[in-house]
Amino acid sequence: DAAARKEVYTRVQGAGATVHFVMENIALSDCADAERVEDLFRMARLLPHCPRRIDPDLLAAGLPGDPHFSTPVAAS
């Protein structure tokens, strides 16, 4: 619940405390940190709606896409 989380963020910040999300590598101590945590919740809600596989016909079409996402990183 977003309202309950916001209350927790406000209380943490008001107490001058920090909450550590170890698996996410985030320490919550200010508004910017709270926004990063909320980004994770938004992504988690979207994941069930994301494709699980890429249609082989799309791959065979050779569409250019964004090179940052579609080009494999060369091995060093």
Side-chain angles (χ1 to χ4, degrees):
D1 173 309
R5 286 193 307 273
K6 183 173 179 158
E7 176 65 24
V8 169
Y9 305 153
T10 301
R11 290 175 135 199
V12 167
Q13 292 168 8
T18 302
V19 175
H20 294 266
F21 298 84
V22 178
M23 299 303 287
E24 293 79 10
N25 195 28
I26 296 174
L28 171 73
S29 59
D30 60 27
C31 292
D33 298 333
E35 190 57 33
R36 290 179 62 207
V37 171
E38 284 301 303
D39 283 344
L40 291 173
F41 278 102
R42 284 188 282 271
M43 285 188 278
R45 281 193 302 270
L46 289 174
L47 280 175
H49 306 287
C50 293
R52 299 275 189 255
R53 65 178 193 80
I54 298 173
D55 184 333
D57 293 337
L58 290 174
L59 291 174
L63 300 173
D66 183 332
H68 294 98
F69 295 105
S70 57
T71 304
V73 176
S76 311

